[in-house]
Amino acid sequence: MWTTTGVPVWRRLSRGKDLDPERCKTVFQAARRPHHCRVGKESSMTPRKKLEGLVAATVTPMTPDGQINLTVIHQYVEYLVSEQNVKNVFVNGTTGEGLSLSIQERKQLAEEWICQGKNKLDHVIIHVGALSLPESQELARHAASIGASGIAVIAPFFFKPTNKDELIAFLQKVASEAPAVPFYYYHIPHLTGVKIHVEELLDGIKKQIPTFQGVKFSDTDLLDLAQCINKNESEQFAFLYGVDEQLLSALAIGANGAVGSTFNYLGRKTNLMLQAFAKPDLALAQKYQFLTVEFLSFVIKLGFGVAQTKAVMTFVSGIPMGPPRLPLVSASEEFIIKAKAKLDSIVWPDGD
C-alpha cells in the first residue's frame, strides 16, 4: 500500500485526476484483498452459536499518521484465538474509537474483521450506532450485507432521548434496516448521559424490535442489571457485562458473559476466572478478579483510557496498534514502562 516515497498508492492515483482519495483507497484495498476474503452474506460467522462468554472490544489499529491499518487484523484475529482463547469480537465500539471514525472507515473495518474471522471467530458484532439516524441505518444495512453475526447501537448522546419510548423509536429505526440480524442495545450511560434504566426498556421490546437479542451493559448499576436478569426468566435475552473490574459480581447476578477491552490482553486469565466460577470455585475466581482489579486500579491512577489500552495491547501482543485519533493522544513512555512492569509483576494462580 506504501511506496518507497512513503506516499500511499491510492493518494498518488488520485492526484490530478479529480478523484476522491478515500474512494481510491477503498478500491485499492478491496483489490488487494485475497479472493477468499471477499465479504458478503456468505462470510457470516456460521454456524451461529449463542452469544455468551467473553467478547473482546477491539481496538482500531492505526498507522503512525493516523490512518486505519487493516493489514494487521489477520494477525489480531490469530492472536485473540490462539493466545487469549477469545472467539467473539465487538468492533467499532468505544474501545475501537468508532465514533471518531468516518462511515467509510467503519465499513472497511467491519469487512476486514468479518473476512479475517471467517471459520475462526464465533461472533463478529458490529457497533453501528451514530449521532445521525441515517448514518446508523446505513451502517446497519452494510453490516447485514457482509454477514455480521449481530449489530449493536449506542444511544444518541448529543440530542438525547429523554424517555424509553424515544430511545426505542431510535433503536427500532436502525434495527429494521437489518431485519435478519440479531440486535443488541449498547448501554453506557456514563459516556452517553442517557440514564434510562435497561429494565424499563425490556417491557414489550420484542414486539417493537423483533430482532432484539440482548444488551451490552456497560454500567456499574448492578441493581438495574439484576432487575433485567430477574425479568429474563425464560433466558430470552443475553446480558453481556461491560465493566471488566466488576465482572465476577455480574456473573453472580446472572450475566451471560462480558464485552470488554481487557479481554484483548487478559482474555485467557478471565476465561480461567469464568471456569472457576462455573465449577464453582469462588475463591479461585476471586483471585483472578482481584488481580485484574489490581492492574486496572494501578493504571487508572496513571490515567487510563483508549489510548493507553492501545499501548498495553501493543506491548502484550506485539502487534502495532498505533496512536489513537485526536482529540485522544498517545500514551506516554512513562505510562508504558510502568504499566508493563506492573503487568509483568503479577503472579496469577495458574502460575503464568
Side-chain angles (χ1 to χ4, degrees), residues 283-303:
L284 180 58
Q286 285 176 326
K287 286 180 182 178
Y288 280 104
Q289 182 71 95
F290 292 157
L291 288 171
T292 298
V293 167
E294 181 182 330
F295 175 71
L296 289 176
S297 177
F298 178 84
V299 292
I300 286 169
K301 288 174 183 174
L302 296 177

mmCIF file with all atom_site columns, all heavy atoms in Angstrom, residues 283-303:
data_model
loop_
_atom_site.group_PDB
_atom_site.id
_atom_site.type_symbol
_atom_site.label_atom_id
_atom_site.label_alt_id
_atom_site.label_comp_id
_atom_site.label_asym_id
_atom_site.label_entity_id
_atom_site.label_seq_id
_atom_site.pdbx_PDB_ins_code
_atom_site.Cartn_x
_atom_site.Cartn_y
_atom_site.Cartn_z
_atom_site.occupancy
_atom_site.B_iso_or_equiv
_atom_site.pdbx_formal_charge
_atom_site.auth_seq_id
_atom_site.auth_comp_id
_atom_site.auth_asym_id
_atom_site.auth_atom_id
_atom_site.pdbx_PDB_model_num
ATOM 1   N N   . ALA A 1 283 ? -13.403 -18.999 45.479 1.00 0.00 ? 283 ALA A N   1
ATOM 2   C CA  . ALA A 1 283 ? -12.145 -18.460 45.985 1.00 0.00 ? 283 ALA A CA  1
ATOM 3   C C   . ALA A 1 283 ? -11.148 -18.258 44.849 1.00 0.00 ? 283 ALA A C   1
ATOM 4   O O   . ALA A 1 283 ? -10.459 -17.231 44.786 1.00 0.00 ? 283 ALA A O   1
ATOM 5   C CB  . ALA A 1 283 ? -11.561 -19.390 47.046 1.00 0.00 ? 283 ALA A CB  1
ATOM 6   N N   . LEU A 1 284 ? -11.074 -19.222 43.936 1.00 0.00 ? 284 LEU A N   1
ATOM 7   C CA  . LEU A 1 284 ? -10.156 -19.093 42.803 1.00 0.00 ? 284 LEU A CA  1
ATOM 8   C C   . LEU A 1 284 ? -10.630 -17.996 41.847 1.00 0.00 ? 284 LEU A C   1
ATOM 9   O O   . LEU A 1 284 ? -9.825  -17.199 41.355 1.00 0.00 ? 284 LEU A O   1
ATOM 10  C CB  . LEU A 1 284 ? -10.055 -20.429 42.057 1.00 0.00 ? 284 LEU A CB  1
ATOM 11  C CG  . LEU A 1 284 ? -9.121  -20.457 40.835 1.00 0.00 ? 284 LEU A CG  1
ATOM 12  C CD1 . LEU A 1 284 ? -7.701  -20.065 41.221 1.00 0.00 ? 284 LEU A CD1 1
ATOM 13  C CD2 . LEU A 1 284 ? -9.148  -21.828 40.169 1.00 0.00 ? 284 LEU A CD2 1
ATOM 14  N N   . ALA A 1 285 ? -11.931 -17.947 41.602 1.00 0.00 ? 285 ALA A N   1
ATOM 15  C CA  . ALA A 1 285 ? -12.474 -16.894 40.735 1.00 0.00 ? 285 ALA A CA  1
ATOM 16  C C   . ALA A 1 285 ? -12.164 -15.516 41.309 1.00 0.00 ? 285 ALA A C   1
ATOM 17  O O   . ALA A 1 285 ? -11.807 -14.589 40.565 1.00 0.00 ? 285 ALA A O   1
ATOM 18  C CB  . ALA A 1 285 ? -13.982 -17.072 40.570 1.00 0.00 ? 285 ALA A CB  1
ATOM 19  N N   . GLN A 1 286 ? -12.269 -15.382 42.613 1.00 0.00 ? 286 GLN A N   1
ATOM 20  C CA  . GLN A 1 286 ? -11.965 -14.102 43.262 1.00 0.00 ? 286 GLN A CA  1
ATOM 21  C C   . GLN A 1 286 ? -10.509 -13.712 43.059 1.00 0.00 ? 286 GLN A C   1
ATOM 22  O O   . GLN A 1 286 ? -10.190 -12.539 42.848 1.00 0.00 ? 286 GLN A O   1
ATOM 23  C CB  . GLN A 1 286 ? -12.282 -14.177 44.754 1.00 0.00 ? 286 GLN A CB  1
ATOM 24  C CG  . GLN A 1 286 ? -13.766 -14.135 45.071 1.00 0.00 ? 286 GLN A CG  1
ATOM 25  C CD  . GLN A 1 286 ? -14.030 -14.306 46.558 1.00 0.00 ? 286 GLN A CD  1
ATOM 26  O OE1 . GLN A 1 286 ? -13.314 -15.032 47.242 1.00 0.00 ? 286 GLN A OE1 1
ATOM 27  N NE2 . GLN A 1 286 ? -15.051 -13.628 47.050 1.00 0.00 ? 286 GLN A NE2 1
ATOM 28  N N   . LYS A 1 287 ? -9.610  -14.701 43.124 1.00 0.00 ? 287 LYS A N   1
ATOM 29  C CA  . LYS A 1 287 ? -8.184  -14.394 42.945 1.00 0.00 ? 287 LYS A CA  1
ATOM 30  C C   . LYS A 1 287 ? -7.938  -13.767 41.574 1.00 0.00 ? 287 LYS A C   1
ATOM 31  O O   . LYS A 1 287 ? -7.214  -12.779 41.455 1.00 0.00 ? 287 LYS A O   1
ATOM 32  C CB  . LYS A 1 287 ? -7.353  -15.667 43.094 1.00 0.00 ? 287 LYS A CB  1
ATOM 33  C CG  . LYS A 1 287 ? -7.227  -16.155 44.539 1.00 0.00 ? 287 LYS A CG  1
ATOM 34  C CD  . LYS A 1 287 ? -6.392  -17.426 44.622 1.00 0.00 ? 287 LYS A CD  1
ATOM 35  C CE  . LYS A 1 287 ? -6.316  -17.943 46.059 1.00 0.00 ? 287 LYS A CE  1
ATOM 36  N NZ  . LYS A 1 287 ? -5.550  -19.213 46.145 1.00 0.00 ? 287 LYS A NZ  1
ATOM 37  N N   . TYR A 1 288 ? -8.551  -14.357 40.542 1.00 0.00 ? 288 TYR A N   1
ATOM 38  C CA  . TYR A 1 288 ? -8.386  -13.795 39.201 1.00 0.00 ? 288 TYR A CA  1
ATOM 39  C C   . TYR A 1 288 ? -8.992  -12.398 39.099 1.00 0.00 ? 288 TYR A C   1
ATOM 40  O O   . TYR A 1 288 ? -8.385  -11.485 38.524 1.00 0.00 ? 288 TYR A O   1
ATOM 41  C CB  . TYR A 1 288 ? -9.016  -14.721 38.153 1.00 0.00 ? 288 TYR A CB  1
ATOM 42  C CG  . TYR A 1 288 ? -8.146  -15.889 37.786 1.00 0.00 ? 288 TYR A CG  1
ATOM 43  C CD1 . TYR A 1 288 ? -8.420  -17.163 38.274 1.00 0.00 ? 288 TYR A CD1 1
ATOM 44  C CD2 . TYR A 1 288 ? -7.039  -15.715 36.961 1.00 0.00 ? 288 TYR A CD2 1
ATOM 45  C CE1 . TYR A 1 288 ? -7.607  -18.245 37.933 1.00 0.00 ? 288 TYR A CE1 1
ATOM 46  C CE2 . TYR A 1 288 ? -6.218  -16.785 36.627 1.00 0.00 ? 288 TYR A CE2 1
ATOM 47  C CZ  . TYR A 1 288 ? -6.507  -18.047 37.119 1.00 0.00 ? 288 TYR A CZ  1
ATOM 48  O OH  . TYR A 1 288 ? -5.697  -19.102 36.780 1.00 0.00 ? 288 TYR A OH  1
ATOM 49  N N   . GLN A 1 289 ? -10.178 -12.220 39.680 1.00 0.00 ? 289 GLN A N   1
ATOM 50  C CA  . GLN A 1 289 ? -10.814 -10.907 39.621 1.00 0.00 ? 289 GLN A CA  1
ATOM 51  C C   . GLN A 1 289 ? -10.002 -9.862  40.368 1.00 0.00 ? 289 GLN A C   1
ATOM 52  O O   . GLN A 1 289 ? -9.795  -8.743  39.879 1.00 0.00 ? 289 GLN A O   1
ATOM 53  C CB  . GLN A 1 289 ? -12.226 -10.975 40.195 1.00 0.00 ? 289 GLN A CB  1
ATOM 54  C CG  . GLN A 1 289 ? -12.993 -9.648  40.138 1.00 0.00 ? 289 GLN A CG  1
ATOM 55  C CD  . GLN A 1 289 ? -13.401 -9.237  38.742 1.00 0.00 ? 289 GLN A CD  1
ATOM 56  O OE1 . GLN A 1 289 ? -14.500 -9.505  38.302 1.00 0.00 ? 289 GLN A OE1 1
ATOM 57  N NE2 . GLN A 1 289 ? -12.498 -8.568  38.023 1.00 0.00 ? 289 GLN A NE2 1
ATOM 58  N N   . PHE A 1 290 ? -9.511  -10.221 41.550 1.00 0.00 ? 290 PHE A N   1
ATOM 59  C CA  . PHE A 1 290 ? -8.754  -9.260  42.352 1.00 0.00 ? 290 PHE A CA  1
ATOM 60  C C   . PHE A 1 290 ? -7.445  -8.863  41.678 1.00 0.00 ? 290 PHE A C   1
ATOM 61  O O   . PHE A 1 290 ? -7.006  -7.711  41.787 1.00 0.00 ? 290 PHE A O   1
ATOM 62  C CB  . PHE A 1 290 ? -8.482  -9.826  43.746 1.00 0.00 ? 290 PHE A CB  1
ATOM 63  C CG  . PHE A 1 290 ? -9.712  -9.979  44.603 1.00 0.00 ? 290 PHE A CG  1
ATOM 64  C CD1 . PHE A 1 290 ? -9.731  -10.877 45.664 1.00 0.00 ? 290 PHE A CD1 1
ATOM 65  C CD2 . PHE A 1 290 ? -10.854 -9.239  44.353 1.00 0.00 ? 290 PHE A CD2 1
ATOM 66  C CE1 . PHE A 1 290 ? -10.864 -11.020 46.459 1.00 0.00 ? 290 PHE A CE1 1
ATOM 67  C CE2 . PHE A 1 290 ? -12.004 -9.376  45.129 1.00 0.00 ? 290 PHE A CE2 1
ATOM 68  C CZ  . PHE A 1 290 ? -12.003 -10.278 46.192 1.00 0.00 ? 290 PHE A CZ  1
ATOM 69  N N   . LEU A 1 291 ? -6.814  -9.788  40.962 1.00 0.00 ? 291 LEU A N   1
ATOM 70  C CA  . LEU A 1 291 ? -5.569  -9.449  40.269 1.00 0.00 ? 291 LEU A CA  1
ATOM 71  C C   . LEU A 1 291 ? -5.839  -8.552  39.063 1.00 0.00 ? 291 LEU A C   1
ATOM 72  O O   . LEU A 1 291 ? -5.051  -7.648  38.771 1.00 0.00 ? 291 LEU A O   1
ATOM 73  C CB  . LEU A 1 291 ? -4.845  -10.727 39.842 1.00 0.00 ? 291 LEU A CB  1
ATOM 74  C CG  . LEU A 1 291 ? -4.221  -11.517 40.995 1.00 0.00 ? 291 LEU A CG  1
ATOM 75  C CD1 . LEU A 1 291 ? -3.713  -12.867 40.520 1.00 0.00 ? 291 LEU A CD1 1
ATOM 76  C CD2 . LEU A 1 291 ? -3.102  -10.734 41.662 1.00 0.00 ? 291 LEU A CD2 1
ATOM 77  N N   . THR A 1 292 ? -6.950  -8.787  38.379 1.00 0.00 ? 292 THR A N   1
ATOM 78  C CA  . THR A 1 292 ? -7.350  -7.871  37.302 1.00 0.00 ? 292 THR A CA  1
ATOM 79  C C   . THR A 1 292 ? -7.606  -6.478  37.869 1.00 0.00 ? 292 THR A C   1
ATOM 80  O O   . THR A 1 292 ? -7.181  -5.464  37.296 1.00 0.00 ? 292 THR A O   1
ATOM 81  C CB  . THR A 1 292 ? -8.615  -8.387  36.597 1.00 0.00 ? 292 THR A CB  1
ATOM 82  O OG1 . THR A 1 292 ? -8.334  -9.657  36.002 1.00 0.00 ? 292 THR A OG1 1
ATOM 83  C CG2 . THR A 1 292 ? -9.076  -7.413  35.513 1.00 0.00 ? 292 THR A CG2 1
ATOM 84  N N   . VAL A 1 293 ? -8.297  -6.434  39.009 1.00 0.00 ? 293 VAL A N   1
ATOM 85  C CA  . VAL A 1 293 ? -8.575  -5.160  39.683 1.00 0.00 ? 293 VAL A CA  1
ATOM 86  C C   . VAL A 1 293 ? -7.265  -4.479  40.091 1.00 0.00 ? 293 VAL A C   1
ATOM 87  O O   . VAL A 1 293 ? -7.126  -3.253  39.969 1.00 0.00 ? 293 VAL A O   1
ATOM 88  C CB  . VAL A 1 293 ? -9.478  -5.384  40.918 1.00 0.00 ? 293 VAL A CB  1
ATOM 89  C CG1 . VAL A 1 293 ? -9.515  -4.141  41.797 1.00 0.00 ? 293 VAL A CG1 1
ATOM 90  C CG2 . VAL A 1 293 ? -10.887 -5.762  40.477 1.00 0.00 ? 293 VAL A CG2 1
ATOM 91  N N   . GLU A 1 294 ? -6.310  -5.265  40.564 1.00 0.00 ? 294 GLU A N   1
ATOM 92  C CA  . GLU A 1 294 ? -5.022  -4.704  40.979 1.00 0.00 ? 294 GLU A CA  1
ATOM 93  C C   . GLU A 1 294 ? -4.343  -3.981  39.818 1.00 0.00 ? 294 GLU A C   1
ATOM 94  O O   . GLU A 1 294 ? -3.834  -2.859  39.968 1.00 0.00 ? 294 GLU A O   1
ATOM 95  C CB  . GLU A 1 294 ? -4.111  -5.818  41.511 1.00 0.00 ? 294 GLU A CB  1
ATOM 96  C CG  . GLU A 1 294 ? -2.758  -5.312  41.990 1.00 0.00 ? 294 GLU A CG  1
ATOM 97  C CD  . GLU A 1 294 ? -1.864  -6.447  42.463 1.00 0.00 ? 294 GLU A CD  1
ATOM 98  O OE1 . GLU A 1 294 ? -2.383  -7.468  42.950 1.00 0.00 ? 294 GLU A OE1 1
ATOM 99  O OE2 . GLU A 1 294 ? -0.624  -6.315  42.331 1.00 0.00 ? 294 GLU A OE2 1
ATOM 100 N N   . PHE A 1 295 ? -4.339  -4.630  38.642 1.00 0.00 ? 295 PHE A N   1
ATOM 101 C CA  . PHE A 1 295 ? -3.726  -3.998  37.477 1.00 0.00 ? 295 PHE A CA  1
ATOM 102 C C   . PHE A 1 295 ? -4.507  -2.765  37.041 1.00 0.00 ? 295 PHE A C   1
ATOM 103 O O   . PHE A 1 295 ? -3.923  -1.702  36.803 1.00 0.00 ? 295 PHE A O   1
ATOM 104 C CB  . PHE A 1 295 ? -3.627  -4.986  36.317 1.00 0.00 ? 295 PHE A CB  1
ATOM 105 C CG  . PHE A 1 295 ? -3.124  -4.360  35.048 1.00 0.00 ? 295 PHE A CG  1
ATOM 106 C CD1 . PHE A 1 295 ? -1.798  -3.959  34.934 1.00 0.00 ? 295 PHE A CD1 1
ATOM 107 C CD2 . PHE A 1 295 ? -3.975  -4.131  33.975 1.00 0.00 ? 295 PHE A CD2 1
ATOM 108 C CE1 . PHE A 1 295 ? -1.329  -3.357  33.774 1.00 0.00 ? 295 PHE A CE1 1
ATOM 109 C CE2 . PHE A 1 295 ? -3.515  -3.531  32.804 1.00 0.00 ? 295 PHE A CE2 1
ATOM 110 C CZ  . PHE A 1 295 ? -2.188  -3.146  32.704 1.00 0.00 ? 295 PHE A CZ  1
ATOM 111 N N   . LEU A 1 296 ? -5.832  -2.893  36.946 1.00 0.00 ? 296 LEU A N   1
ATOM 112 C CA  . LEU A 1 296 ? -6.642  -1.767  36.469 1.00 0.00 ? 296 LEU A CA  1
ATOM 113 C C   . LEU A 1 296 ? -6.592  -0.596  37.433 1.00 0.00 ? 296 LEU A C   1
ATOM 114 O O   . LEU A 1 296 ? -6.533  0.566   37.028 1.00 0.00 ? 296 LEU A O   1
ATOM 115 C CB  . LEU A 1 296 ? -8.084  -2.216  36.239 1.00 0.00 ? 296 LEU A CB  1
ATOM 116 C CG  . LEU A 1 296 ? -8.290  -3.130  35.026 1.00 0.00 ? 296 LEU A CG  1
ATOM 117 C CD1 . LEU A 1 296 ? -9.728  -3.600  34.933 1.00 0.00 ? 296 LEU A CD1 1
ATOM 118 C CD2 . LEU A 1 296 ? -7.882  -2.431  33.725 1.00 0.00 ? 296 LEU A CD2 1
ATOM 119 N N   . SER A 1 297 ? -6.611  -0.874  38.725 1.00 0.00 ? 297 SER A N   1
ATOM 120 C CA  . SER A 1 297 ? -6.513  0.203   39.716 1.00 0.00 ? 297 SER A CA  1
ATOM 121 C C   . SER A 1 297 ? -5.199  0.960   39.561 1.00 0.00 ? 297 SER A C   1
ATOM 122 O O   . SER A 1 297 ? -5.155  2.194   39.635 1.00 0.00 ? 297 SER A O   1
ATOM 123 C CB  . SER A 1 297 ? -6.622  -0.391  41.125 1.00 0.00 ? 297 SER A CB  1
ATOM 124 O OG  . SER A 1 297 ? -6.463  0.613   42.106 1.00 0.00 ? 297 SER A OG  1
ATOM 125 N N   . PHE A 1 298 ? -4.131  0.225   39.281 1.00 0.00 ? 298 PHE A N   1
ATOM 126 C CA  . PHE A 1 298 ? -2.811  0.839   39.101 1.00 0.00 ? 298 PHE A CA  1
ATOM 127 C C   . PHE A 1 298 ? -2.791  1.756   37.887 1.00 0.00 ? 298 PHE A C   1
ATOM 128 O O   . PHE A 1 298 ? -2.365  2.918   37.962 1.00 0.00 ? 298 PHE A O   1
ATOM 129 C CB  . PHE A 1 298 ? -1.757  -0.263  38.973 1.00 0.00 ? 298 PHE A CB  1
ATOM 130 C CG  . PHE A 1 298 ? -0.367  0.246   38.734 1.00 0.00 ? 298 PHE A CG  1
ATOM 131 C CD1 . PHE A 1 298 ? 0.430   0.646   39.794 1.00 0.00 ? 298 PHE A CD1 1
ATOM 132 C CD2 . PHE A 1 298 ? 0.160   0.321   37.441 1.00 0.00 ? 298 PHE A CD2 1
ATOM 133 C CE1 . PHE A 1 298 ? 1.725   1.121   39.582 1.00 0.00 ? 298 PHE A CE1 1
ATOM 134 C CE2 . PHE A 1 298 ? 1.444   0.792   37.222 1.00 0.00 ? 298 PHE A CE2 1
ATOM 135 C CZ  . PHE A 1 298 ? 2.228   1.191   38.285 1.00 0.00 ? 298 PHE A CZ  1
ATOM 136 N N   . VAL A 1 299 ? -3.258  1.253   36.740 1.00 0.00 ? 299 VAL A N   1
ATOM 137 C CA  . VAL A 1 299 ? -3.177  2.061   35.514 1.00 0.00 ? 299 VAL A CA  1
ATOM 138 C C   . VAL A 1 299 ? -4.208  3.195   35.513 1.00 0.00 ? 299 VAL A C   1
ATOM 139 O O   . VAL A 1 299 ? -3.967  4.252   34.913 1.00 0.00 ? 299 VAL A O   1
ATOM 140 C CB  . VAL A 1 299 ? -3.327  1.198   34.241 1.00 0.00 ? 299 VAL A CB  1
ATOM 141 C CG1 . VAL A 1 299 ? -2.121  0.288   34.081 1.00 0.00 ? 299 VAL A CG1 1
ATOM 142 C CG2 . VAL A 1 299 ? -4.620  0.408   34.240 1.00 0.00 ? 299 VAL A CG2 1
ATOM 143 N N   . ILE A 1 300 ? -5.340  2.999   36.164 1.00 0.00 ? 300 ILE A N   1
ATOM 144 C CA  . ILE A 1 300 ? -6.331  4.079   36.248 1.00 0.00 ? 300 ILE A CA  1
ATOM 145 C C   . ILE A 1 300 ? -5.744  5.283   36.979 1.00 0.00 ? 300 ILE A C   1
ATOM 146 O O   . ILE A 1 300 ? -5.978  6.435   36.603 1.00 0.00 ? 300 ILE A O   1
ATOM 147 C CB  . ILE A 1 300 ? -7.626  3.584   36.923 1.00 0.00 ? 300 ILE A CB  1
ATOM 148 C CG1 . ILE A 1 300 ? -8.407  2.691   35.948 1.00 0.00 ? 300 ILE A CG1 1
ATOM 149 C CG2 . ILE A 1 300 ? -8.506  4.755   37.368 1.00 0.00 ? 300 ILE A CG2 1
ATOM 150 C CD1 . ILE A 1 300 ? -9.551  1.934   36.576 1.00 0.00 ? 300 ILE A CD1 1
ATOM 151 N N   . LYS A 1 301 ? -4.942  5.031   37.992 1.00 0.00 ? 301 LYS A N   1
ATOM 152 C CA  . LYS A 1 301 ? -4.303  6.127   38.732 1.00 0.00 ? 301 LYS A CA  1
ATOM 153 C C   . LYS A 1 301 ? -3.289  6.863   37.851 1.00 0.00 ? 301 LYS A C   1
ATOM 154 O O   . LYS A 1 301 ? -3.029  8.056   38.049 1.00 0.00 ? 301 LYS A O   1
ATOM 155 C CB  . LYS A 1 301 ? -3.623  5.585   39.988 1.00 0.00 ? 301 LYS A CB  1
ATOM 156 C CG  . LYS A 1 301 ? -4.606  5.151   41.067 1.00 0.00 ? 301 LYS A CG  1
ATOM 157 C CD  . LYS A 1 301 ? -3.901  4.475   42.233 1.00 0.00 ? 301 LYS A CD  1
ATOM 158 C CE  . LYS A 1 301 ? -4.913  3.980   43.250 1.00 0.00 ? 301 LYS A CE  1
ATOM 159 N NZ  . LYS A 1 301 ? -4.261  3.178   44.331 1.00 0.00 ? 301 LYS A NZ  1
ATOM 160 N N   . LEU A 1 302 ? -2.721  6.151   36.882 1.00 0.00 ? 302 LEU A N   1
ATOM 161 C CA  . LEU A 1 302 ? -1.777  6.792   35.958 1.00 0.00 ? 302 LEU A CA  1
ATOM 162 C C   . LEU A 1 302 ? -2.499  7.586   34.865 1.00 0.00 ? 302 LEU A C   1
ATOM 163 O O   . LEU A 1 302 ? -1.901  8.454   34.234 1.00 0.00 ? 302 LEU A O   1
ATOM 164 C CB  . LEU A 1 302 ? -0.898  5.728   35.277 1.00 0.00 ? 302 LEU A CB  1
ATOM 165 C CG  . LEU A 1 302 ? 0.030   4.902   36.165 1.00 0.00 ? 302 LEU A CG  1
ATOM 166 C CD1 . LEU A 1 302 ? 0.759   3.853   35.323 1.00 0.00 ? 302 LEU A CD1 1
ATOM 167 C CD2 . LEU A 1 302 ? 1.042   5.787   36.882 1.00 0.00 ? 302 LEU A CD2 1
ATOM 168 N N   . GLY A 1 303 ? -3.784  7.271   34.671 1.00 0.00 ? 303 GLY A N   1
ATOM 169 C CA  . GLY A 1 303 ? -4.565  7.844   33.575 1.00 0.00 ? 303 GLY A CA  1
ATOM 170 C C   . GLY A 1 303 ? -4.751  6.782   32.520 1.00 0.00 ? 303 GLY A C   1
ATOM 171 O O   . GLY A 1 303 ? -3.805  6.448   31.786 1.00 0.00 ? 303 GLY A O   1
#
